[in-house]
Amino acid sequence: MLKVKNVIANDDYTLFVELSDGRSGIFDVKPYLEKGVFTQLQDLSYFKQVKPFFCGIVWPNEQDLSADTLAHGLKQVKAA
């Protein structure tokens, strides 16, 4: 089962994500910011409170994204 090992929120409403299968990269959250419960993520200080939770990620008020969703939209980056 795919899991999020680490997540770091960036100032441009993207997330750096590390997955359990070894992939890592950038996930753009901007397309979600105008939708339903995700509008609260427009507050950058709140957006930065993201953390891994079970297999995906979650914010304090229970907005969440699954590891599969993150993997599907991940723009992979190579390690230096």
Side-chain angles (χ1 to χ4, degrees):
M1 175 178 278
L2 190 61
K3 295 182 180 183
V4 174
K5 290 175 47 181
N6 190 33
V7 61
I8 300 168
N10 300 311
D11 290 342
D12 63 353
Y13 296 98
T14 62
L15 301 170
F16 176 76
V17 179
E18 293 178 80
L19 299 172
S20 59
D21 65 1
R23 288 183 286 170
S24 62
I26 300 295
F27 182 86
D28 188 358
V29 182
K30 289 185 288 296
Y32 295 82
L33 295 178
E34 300 292 328
K35 298 179 181 175
V37 298
F38 292 104
T39 59
Q40 191 174 12
L41 302 182
Q42 293 173 17
D43 176 345
L44 189 58
S45 63
Y46 181 76
F47 178 75
K48 290 188 167 235
Q49 294 178 47
V50 66
K51 62 182 179 181
F53 184 73
F54 288 107
C55 296
I57 60 172
V58 70
W59 284 269
N61 290 335
E62 299 183 4
Q63 296 95 339
D64 64 344
L65 293 169
S66 71
D68 290 334
T69 297
L70 295 166
H72 181 72
L74 198 67
K75 305 291 186 238
Q76 287 189 263
V77 293
K78 297 186 184 210

